[in-house]
Amino acid sequence: MVTLILPRLIDVSAASRRSGSVVERNVAALKSVYWLLLLSGFVEPLLYLLSIGVGVGALVGDLPLPDGRLVSYAEFVAPAMLASSAMTGALAETTFNFFGKMKYMKLYDGMIATPVRPFEIAVGELSWAMLRGSAYSAAFLGVMVALDLTSVTRALTALPAAVLVGFAFGALGMAISTFMRSWQDFDLMGSAQFTLFLFSGTFVPAQAYPTLLHWLIEITPLYRSVHLIRGVALGSGGWVWLLDVLYLLAMVAIGLLVASRRMGRLLYQ
């Protein structure tokens, strides 16, 4: 029994180290400009929060949560900005950067000449994207606490939720990137990302839309992310957020599977 389990543990350990090497390579390549990248990804959602959440919120007033509790408009918008920040940070790494490394830099062609396999590259790149998205999320949560839009305890609970959102969108972005043929193909993805940002319960409750559009919104990944983080950060929604967690975990699994298989075909052809 032990002799059967031990080789598997060794394989998992070796695969983890190889994926970690991919992360280390990204850290070494970007450490000199990382704080500038972090600042750029953090400022955009902060500006949305201050201009719309606080500015427009002064005109809108309070909004009801599903449990009937009233919250200020800034409290309503802030968790959505956090989810959008995690999405943006993860997609930035696993779309343009990932595509450039694979298509033009031919970085992964050199990696597969070593013992590193496509699945380990995918896990390493996703882990790096998660680290970048988590940095955005942690900084934004600090602002939410400073503005009294959530408590410290809820912010600490919301951080793992934001990390999961980063994982989910990172896996999705990586899978989509393996189907891209040129930079122009990313125009469609940018349009889809902005549409999700506008129509995912970000600025108004999804119930405000017509019934058909409401149903479509509720099955989109950013809506599930906003719903999860809003429920955790504001203490609403009960245990319904477990469905959001399962949804996002399925995105991670499917995205990693598709990305690793597509990378295998592209790199070994």
Side-chain angles (χ1 to χ4, degrees):
M1 186 71 172
V2 174
T3 56
L4 291 175
I5 295 176
L6 189 57
R8 295 179 184 177
L9 293 176
I10 293 174
D11 289 343
V12 170
S13 176
S16 300
R17 288 197 302 271
R18 290 192 288 265
S19 295
S21 298
V22 177
V23 176
E24 289 176 8
R25 183 265 163 200
N26 284 315
V27 172
L30 290 178
K31 63 181 179 181
S32 60
V33 295
Y34 184 70
W35 290 108
L36 181 60
L37 292 173
L38 175 61
L39 181 63
S40 65
F42 164 71
V43 166
E44 182 179 349
L46 178 61
L47 292 177
Y48 272 110
L49 174 62
L50 295 177
S51 61
I52 297 178
V54 177
V56 177
L59 303 175
V60 174
D62 295 338
L63 287 179
L65 295 176
D67 59 6
R69 182 161 53 95
L70 291 177
V71 296
S72 69
Y73 189 64
E75 287 180 280
F76 180 84
V77 170
M81 293 296 99
L82 174 58
S84 299
S85 178
M87 174 187 72
T88 301
L91 287 180
E93 252 333 301
T94 58
T95 52
F96 294 100
N97 292 349
F98 177 78
F99 180 77
K101 294 173 188 175
M102 181 172 61
K103 183 79 172 180
Y104 295 100
M105 295 174 63
K106 302 296 183 182
L107 179 66
Y108 305 133
D109 293 72
M111 286 187 179
I112 62 170
T114 70
V116 180
R117 293 170 290 185
F119 180 77
E120 294 160 353
I121 295 174
V123 171
E125 290 292 351
L126 182 56
S127 299
W128 168 243
M130 179 272 296
L131 289 175
R132 182 171 173 177
S134 298
Y136 294 161
S137 300
F140 195 83
L141 278 168
V143 172
M144 287 177 62
V145 172
L147 294 177
D148 198 27
L149 300 177
T150 189
S151 66
V152 175
T153 303
R154 287 176 178 168
L156 293 175
T157 308
L159 183 57
V163 170
L164 176 59
V165 171
F167 260 123
F169 277 99
L172 176 65
M174 194 182 304
I176 291 174
S177 296
T178 60
F179 290 94
M180 297 299 181
R181 297 161 300 178
S182 66
W183 295 113
Q184 286 70 32
D185 292 338
F186 284 99
D187 292 340
L188 294 175
M189 199 198 74
S191 299
Q193 184 178 343
F194 190 65
T195 302
L196 285 177
F197 175 68
L198 292 178
F199 296 97
S200 293
T202 311
F203 301 109
V204 295
Q207 292 78 6
Y209 296 106
T211 303
L212 180 58
L213 183 57
H214 174 200
W215 290 345
L216 290 175
I217 287 172
E218 286 200 349
I219 62 174
T220 60
L222 184 56
Y223 175 83
R224 302 320 316 177
S225 303
V226 170
H227 187 267
L228 170 63
I229 294 180
R230 185 173 283 146
V232 174
L234 300 181
S236 65
W239 293 97
V240 179
W241 56 267
L242 286 175
L243 297 176
D244 303 326
V245 171
L246 293 175
Y247 182 105
L248 295 173
L249 287 175
M251 280 182 62
V252 174
I254 294 172
L256 266 179
L257 180 63
V258 172
S260 59
R261 288 190 174 183
R262 287 283 303 165
M263 285 180 65
R265 293 175 185 174
L266 294 171
L267 295 175
Y268 289 122
Q269 66 181 7

